[in-house]
Amino acid sequence: MWGLAQTLEARVLLRIEDHDRQRCQPRYEQALLEDLDWLGFEADVFPAAQYREGPCAGRQSDRDAAYRAAAAKLAERGLLFGCDCSRRDVAAAAGSELARSPAGELRYAGHCRDRGLALSDGVGWRLRMPPVRNPSPTLCWAARRRCRGSNAAIR
């Protein structure tokens, strides 16, 4: 990645996505940073040292206020809804072929979409989007700016 970034005159940004606070633990972040140090990789934006110093804008949990502000804007437009489905619930609903993507990934079936659950810290927050019929994957190669698929015009 670092070589490609250098070739493209780009920068490498290290981002720690620790939004799943039950499964993300500080020791995992520490191990990741130690591995990057051991490999000799140092990000151009948010290097490991910044994470070790304390709050860092590259760590998702340290940007909670920004995410809540963005979510509030979406909620004002009616685009968010609360969902109390567990991963097990979503997997159980995946019995039909419509519940899986062409790559076999689980798709949320929409069980809570119209239940009116409050947006609180005790439920998942889902983005209300129109149903997609016969989705077609789009493959974009950013370095070459070539796109294929039915959504190729969207970049």
Side-chain angles (χ1 to χ4, degrees):
M1 176 174 17
W2 273 260
L4 177 61
Q6 204 170 28
T7 300
L8 296 173
E9 298 180 6
R11 299 182 309 162
V12 174
L13 178 145
L14 177 60
R15 177 180 161 100
I16 304 288
E17 296 192 12
D18 61 346
H19 61 279
D20 185 340
R21 299 201 178 123
Q22 291 178 347
R23 294 189 303 162
C24 297
Q25 298 177 16
R27 64 187 169 120
Y28 300 148
E29 179 181 313
Q30 181 181 349
L32 177 122
L33 298 175
E34 289 171 2
D35 289 349
L36 290 173
D37 289 343
W38 184 82
L39 291 167
F41 293 139
E42 184 169 334
D44 301 310
V45 182
F46 309 127
Q50 272 188 273
Y51 288 94
R52 290 187 180 102
E53 292 170 0
C56 176
R59 184 183 294 114
Q60 195 169 25
S61 61
D62 290 340
R63 294 183 42 84
D64 192 61
Y67 292 113
R68 287 190 182 272
K73 289 179 184 177
L74 291 169
E76 285 171 11
R77 295 174 52 202
L79 296 175
L80 285 184
F81 63 94
C83 176
D84 61 2
C85 294
S86 67
R87 293 174 196 270
R88 183 172 286 139
D89 295 335
V90 174
S96 77
E97 67 180 59
L98 294 176
R100 293 204 176 261
S101 74
E105 299 166 340
L106 290 176
R107 285 189 179 151
Y108 173 67
H111 175 73
C112 295
R113 183 180 175 96
D114 297 316
R115 288 182 57 205
L117 296 175
L119 295 173
S120 68
D121 286 341
V123 299
W125 297 11
R126 294 193 180 270
L127 183 61
R128 186 180 307 278
M129 298 188 59
V132 177
R133 297 178 198 269
N134 302 320
S136 172
T138 298
L139 175 64
C140 289
W141 297 20
R144 296 187 181 156
R145 299 280 187 227
R146 292 183 190 166
C147 297
R148 297 185 306 193
S150 63
N151 297 323
I154 302 171
R155 295 178 197 222

